[in-house]
């Protein structure tokens, strides 16, 4: 009886393995409406189904990362498509990912690649200022992020909750690029300037478009949504020409990342999907299909909106991503003390 039981268990395990080979499970922090089209194309081309797990807009990158850590001993996920690079680096340090160097990653710039090949960055959003053109004349628009502490903007600026999402990523990057003391001074200056904290980047963009705020700090995709809807707004890429006092300051581009999960049920399918996501055609689709993700592969040919400026056209912020990840906890503790009261 014991031998029969083992045989049944072996058959069940084999059936489970065969089922795993027929699909790829993806934990995806990219917006569902844009990711689903990419997955549909992958299934059409390969015959492999994609089983994506999305989450809510407010906490998707955080909750999916936590789930990957919980499942590390027995992974259910094959591929992690994240939209917060610093969280990706922290997961890589905890051994969540399997090294994989996709041949399609070769054209990407060196800064987009993990040194141990555990992740690859692609398709970025820029952190920008959205300006209400009825409230701020073109000549008066701030040129630098640091201009937002000017008293002329007191009570007129909106930011998303700085402990979350790309706003938190930006804070850690500023801790790295400016140094912790200068970064803290900037955020204290914002607070003293009565900055308005709203739930998310979309609300910062929408509030600026409706005239509740003169300026919002947000991402390119949310800003372009308001611009394309015909709202009275313009985009400013802060520090696009650099900053005389801070030579590493520039426009911050926050990329998506993709990684194969260590011990994944379908490693072969996972690698095929990573290859697919890193193809020029995929970045072009993410750029022009409504998601407004900025291609990082120089081989991508896409008709980008005029307001979507790639990093090759401006001074990009020179971030050491690994060092920014080191500073994440310090930045978070500071932001909680300053803004969570």
């Amino acid at each position: 009886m014991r031998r029969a039981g083992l045989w049944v268990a072996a058959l069940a395990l084999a059936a489970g393995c065969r089922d795993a080979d027929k699909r790829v499970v993806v934990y995806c922090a990219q917006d569902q409406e844009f990711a689903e089209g990419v997955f549909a194309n992958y299934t059409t081309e390969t015959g492999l189904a994609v089983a994506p797990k999305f989450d809510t807009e407010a906490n998707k990158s955080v909750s999916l990362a936590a789930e990957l850590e919980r499942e590390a001993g027995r992974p259910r996920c094959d591929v992690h498509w994240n939209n917060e690079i610093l969280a990706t680096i922290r997961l890589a340090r905890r051994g969540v990912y399997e090294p994989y160097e996709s041949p399609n990653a070769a054209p990407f710039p060196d800064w987009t690649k993990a040194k141990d090949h555990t992740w690859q960055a692609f398709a970025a959003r820029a952190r920008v200022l959205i300006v209400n053109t009825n409230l701020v004349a073109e000549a008066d628009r701030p040129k630098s992020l640091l201009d937002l502490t000017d008293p002329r903007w007191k009570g007129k600026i909106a930011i998303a909750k700085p402990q979350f999402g790309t706003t938190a990523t930006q804070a850690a990057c500023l801790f790295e690029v400016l140094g912790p003391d200068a970064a803290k001074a900037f955020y204290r200056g914002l607070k003293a300037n009565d900055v308005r904290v709203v739930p998310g980047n979309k609300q910062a963009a929408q509030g600026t478009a409706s005239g509740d705020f003169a300026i919002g700090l947000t991402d390119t995709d949310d800003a372009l949504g308001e611009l394309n809807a015909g709202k009275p707004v313009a985009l400013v890429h802060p520090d696009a020409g650099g900053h005389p006092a801070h030579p590493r300051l520039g426009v911050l581009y926050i990329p998506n990342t993709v990684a194969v999960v260590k011990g994944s049920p379908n490693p072969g399918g996972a690698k095929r999907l990573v290859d697919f996501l890193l193809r020029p055609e995929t970045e072009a689709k993410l750029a022009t299909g409504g998601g407004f993700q900025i291609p990082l592969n120089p081989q991508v040919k896409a008709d980008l909106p005029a307001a979507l400026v790639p990093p090759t056209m401006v001074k990009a912020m020179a971030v050491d991503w690994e060092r920014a990840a080191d500073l994440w906890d310090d930045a978070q503790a500071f932001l909680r003390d300053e803004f969570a009261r």
Side-chain angles (χ1 to χ4, degrees):
M1 291 295 292
R2 183 173 180 274
R3 185 174 298 173
L6 289 172
W7 176 246
V8 170
L11 285 175
L13 180 60
C17 290
R18 286 195 298 271
D19 289 342
D21 289 342
K22 295 176 183 176
R23 65 173 189 167
V24 182
V25 177
V26 184
Y27 288 1
C28 183
Q30 178 55 259
D31 291 342
Q32 183 171 350
E33 60 184 306
F34 307 120
E36 283 185 332
V38 173
F39 295 148
N41 290 347
Y42 174 77
T43 297
T44 299
E45 184 170 312
T46 67
L48 278 174
V50 178
K53 180 167 189 172
F54 300 99
D55 214 324
T56 63
E57 178 67 26
N59 66 353
K60 57 188 174 185
S61 60
V62 175
S63 61
L64 291 174
E67 194 154 353
L68 283 165
E69 285 199 80
R70 286 195 301 269
E71 296 173 356
R74 192 175 182 180
R76 300 177 182 177
C77 175
D78 298 302
V79 173
H80 184 208
W81 178 353
N82 200 15
N83 65 355
E84 296 291 351
I85 186 172
L86 300 188
T88 296
I89 291 171
R90 298 198 306 278
L91 286 172
R93 291 174 176 178
R94 292 164 189 164
V96 171
Y97 304 136
E98 185 76 32
Y100 174 58
E101 187 174 6
S102 170
N104 290 344
F108 283 79
D110 288 343
W111 71 264
T112 67
K113 306 171 189 290
K115 291 182 174 61
D116 61 358
H117 307 300
T118 49
W119 52 264
Q120 173 65 45
F122 70 113
R125 291 166 291 170
R127 292 290 290 168
V128 296
L129 305 179
I130 182 171
V131 179
N132 186 296
T133 54
N134 290 335
L135 300 177
V136 184
E138 184 173 0
D140 296 332
R141 294 171 193 170
K143 302 290 192 300
S144 171
L145 193 67
L146 305 185
D147 292 342
L148 299 183
T149 61
D150 190 308
R152 66 155 58 175
W153 306 120
K154 189 175 181 66
K156 299 178 181 179
I157 299 169
I159 63 169
K161 291 180 180 179
Q163 310 96 302
F164 305 101
T166 51
T167 316
T169 300
Q170 184 168 33
C173 291
L174 290 175
F175 267 58
E176 197 281 313
V177 168
L178 300 178
D181 291 342
K184 289 177 182 179
F186 167 68
Y187 283 103
R188 287 180 177 132
L190 281 182
K191 186 177 178 181
N193 221 19
D194 195 22
V195 68
R196 305 303 173 88
V197 179
V198 296
N201 290 310
K202 186 177 291 293
Q203 287 79 12
Q206 290 175 336
T208 302
S210 65
D212 294 337
F213 317 110
I215 301 169
L217 184 55
T218 188
D219 296 331
T220 38
D221 55 339
D222 292 311
L224 275 166
E226 300 305 311
L227 182 67
N228 290 344
K231 302 296 179 61
V233 297
L235 274 64
V236 173
H237 289 70
D239 304 291
H243 192 285
H246 300 283
R248 294 172 60 207
L249 197 60
V251 181
L252 177 59
Y253 290 87
I254 301 177
N256 287 261
T257 59
V258 63
V260 175
V261 175
K262 188 174 183 178
S264 68
N266 186 359
K271 292 173 182 177
R272 290 177 71 185
L273 180 56
V274 169
D275 293 344
F276 186 87
L277 291 176
L278 297 178
R279 296 196 318 185
E281 297 88 344
T282 301
E283 274 203 312
K285 182 179 179 66
L286 289 170
T288 60
F292 305 122
Q293 307 290 299
I294 301 164
L296 299 180
N297 181 345
Q299 295 182 354
V300 172
K301 306 298 181 186
D303 187 14
L304 301 179
L308 204 62
V309 180
T312 53
M313 301 294 291
V314 295
K315 169 71 166 65
M317 189 181 294
V319 183
D320 181 331
W321 298 111
E322 295 284 345
R323 179 60 182 152
D326 292 339
L327 291 166
W328 176 267
D329 289 338
D330 290 345
Q332 283 285 295
F334 168 77
L335 294 170
R336 282 194 299 269
D337 288 345
E338 290 296 320
F339 292 96
R341 298 171 183 172

